[in-house]
Amino acid sequence: MSDQYHTVYLELKNKFGEGSIEELPGGNGLPTLRTSAEKVHDVLNYLKTEIPKPYPMLYDLTAIDERTRANRWDRLKGDFTVVYHLLSFDRNSDVRIKVALDGEHPSLPSITDVW
């Protein structure tokens, strides 16, 4: 794990508290962090607007249906995983934020007010 990756993890952990952010093994060399559905809006808003050297660009937003996935190397507990891929020009780095969702009608708060 690069120092820059660990720095953003520590910044988020200090802001949101122990247990609110978790480091995951990075796939494809991208820093990957997990947070809860309840915290994701605040975490994303902080990364875009408040953190030193922010992540102003939402590069990608996708979801994964985990129910049929055979090899789940980062095994999130949940039927679905929502993935936010952010870019920071000042840091010259990316970060992925993942959120696990369960249930018959999983949902997350909208981030349209952030991006």
Side-chain angles (χ1 to χ4, degrees):
M1 169 184 346
S2 75
D3 288 340
Q4 198 168 33
Y5 171 29
H6 194 65
T7 299
V8 72
Y9 164 70
L10 291 176
E11 289 173 287
L12 289 170
K13 188 174 107 174
N14 289 336
K15 172 71 176 175
F16 295 99
E18 190 72 37
S20 61
I21 302 293
E22 181 183 350
E23 294 175 295
L24 297 174
N28 303 331
L30 288 175
T32 306
L33 306 171
R34 172 174 37 197
T35 193
S36 67
E38 295 78 26
K39 296 242 185 231
V40 69
H41 185 278
D42 292 337
V43 167
L44 294 171
N45 188 58
Y46 178 74
L47 287 168
K48 182 180 181 194
T49 64
E50 297 177 46
I51 197 169
K53 297 184 178 181
Y55 291 81
M57 183 177 186
L58 176 62
Y59 182 75
D60 194 19
L61 171 58
T62 192
I64 303 165
D65 183 345
E66 302 286 5
R67 299 169 299 174
T68 60
R69 205 166 156 188
N71 298 312
R72 294 177 61 183
W73 60 269
D74 66 352
R75 181 78 172 128
L76 291 175
K77 293 179 182 178
D79 294 330
F80 300 91
T81 301
V82 177
V83 183
Y84 303 88
H85 183 154
L86 311 179
L87 296 176
S88 172
F89 305 108
D90 292 336
R91 292 174 187 246
N92 192 28
S93 71
D94 302 23
V95 66
R96 270 192 303 221
I97 305 296
K98 290 188 172 186
V99 180
L101 298 174
D102 276 319
E104 189 174 329
H105 303 286
S107 66
L108 284 172
S110 174
I111 59 164
T112 57
D113 63 321
V114 180
W115 280 282

